[in-house]
Amino acid sequence: MSHTDETFEGQTALVTGAAGAIGRAVAETFAIMGARVVLADRDEQGLRAAVDKLRTDGLDATACAFDQSNPESIDHLFTDGVGDRLDICVANAGYGRVAGILDQDLAGWRRHVDINLTGTFLVVQAAARRMVAGGGGAIVLNSSSAAIHSTPMFGAYAATKAGVEMLARCMADELGPSGIRVNTVCPGVVETGMTGGLLNHADGRMRQIMVDHTPTGRIGEPQQIAHVITFLASGAADYVTGTALLVDGGQTLRGFPRWHAPSRNSANGSNTWQLITEESR
């Protein structure tokens, strides 16, 4: 059976960050393929809109608002939202902000760690415990090409996403004997709310720079990431675990994504960083 022929009938899938572009596409794809989907996000309005759309289409979807930076909220997600049975977990929720290494404050660093690393760990740990009790399952963590490719001015984001990747490898090793597969997807630049402001900078010149440095000649779409995630969760990938799958249109082959470039400060001779759209003027 091919991936496109497969269904997830009778299975429960949890998707965090489900009010965002990628999470919403993932949840919709699982629901169309027959899964009961629990959508989780801290954006209650966006979450409700996503669930209402799926239900209008006759699909099985449930909303559960939660804050991934709050361990008690994560407990609530699993006790009241997920319940005892879980077959698939997509740990998609994340956080990213621009800051140079020398300027990154402790509060901002901790927020990246709390959401991207600690929060992700608590989500997948709770998911794995249910899967062990249920005889197995599949977990997919959403990382980033920044986890494997230096992205200046995104140090906190990149470091925590790299941590997510190693977490997935350790989980795959430990949990394989329990019938649980754990993989990571590493998107490059994709059309989302997080990237929209940067892509549209300087009247769209940033977007063109990214396209020019992407071998496939286009920016990624959320649905493309969703297809990869559902594949990794499917029986078609039942011999795949501990893998980090780069989905970036080849951007890293050309040293991208890279939003900033160094600029010499004429006053003191030091380097500062500016958006590459400024460099290309």
Side-chain angles (χ1 to χ4, degrees):
M1 177 182 290
S2 71
H3 168 233
T4 54
D5 294 330
E6 184 161 343
T7 71
F8 293 100
E9 293 285 349
Q11 298 187 50
T12 296
L14 168 66
V15 181
T16 65
I22 292 176
R24 194 165 178 166
V26 171
E28 181 179 29
T29 304
F30 274 116
I32 289 172
M33 297 177 74
R36 168 190 172 246
V37 184
V38 179
L39 290 81
D41 204 293
R42 66 181 184 135
D43 176 2
E44 295 189 39
Q45 184 176 355
L47 186 62
R48 177 53 55 191
V51 169
D52 287 348
K53 170 63 167 57
L54 294 179
R55 288 179 174 173
T56 298
D57 293 339
L59 302 173
D60 190 350
T62 302
C64 187
F66 92 121
D67 179 355
Q68 188 158 292
S69 68
N70 184 335
E72 291 182 0
S73 183
I74 295 172
D75 287 342
H76 166 73
L77 166 63
F78 281 88
T79 56
D80 298 340
V82 174
D84 295 330
R85 167 73 182 274
L86 185 63
D87 304 284
I88 299 161
C89 174
V90 180
N92 171 69
Y95 174 83
R97 293 293 184 273
V98 176
I101 294 298
L102 298 181
D103 298 322
Q104 176 70 69
D105 61 26
L106 183 57
W109 173 267
R110 283 177 171 164
R111 184 148 181 81
H112 281 85
V113 172
D114 288 347
I115 296 174
N116 294 347
L117 195 51
T118 304
T120 296
F121 165 72
L122 293 174
V123 166
V124 296
Q125 181 189 55
R129 285 171 173 166
R130 280 161 174 75
M131 291 176 185
V132 167
I139 298 173
V140 182
L141 297 84
N142 193 359
S143 180
S144 169
S145 60
I148 58 176
H149 170 76
S150 173
T151 308
M153 304 298 289
F154 284 90
Y157 178 77
T160 50
K161 287 297 188 177
V164 164
E165 232 178 84
M166 184 51 69
L167 170 62
R169 291 175 184 267
C170 292
M171 291 182 67
D173 195 0
E174 288 189 31
L175 301 177
S178 298
I180 300 171
R181 295 184 301 104
V182 186
N183 291 291
T184 308
V185 62
C186 302
V189 179
V190 177
E191 296 275 6
T192 68
M194 189 179 291
T195 62
L198 284 168
L199 286 172
N200 294 324
H201 184 263
D203 297 324
R205 284 194 298 114
M206 180 72 83
R207 178 184 300 276
Q208 190 58 53
I209 290 171
M210 288 296 167
V211 169
D212 291 344
H213 288 85
T214 303
T216 55
R218 63 188 186 276
I219 302 299
E221 297 288 342
Q223 193 61 50
Q224 293 167 320
I225 309 303
H227 287 320
V228 173
I229 289 174
T230 52
F231 162 70
L232 290 172
S234 75
D238 64 1
Y239 201 55
V240 180
T241 194
T243 291
L245 188 51
L246 186 61
V247 189
D248 73 339
Q251 288 162 355
T252 52
L253 298 173
R254 297 184 178 177
F256 275 72
R258 179 170 290 269
W259 306 95
H260 297 80
S263 174
R264 178 69 63 177
N265 187 320
S266 58
N268 58 22
S270 64
N271 279 331
T272 58
W273 289 83
Q274 63 183 7
L275 287 167
I276 56 177
T277 47
E278 301 302 317
E279 179 191 43
S280 62
R281 283 183 183 275

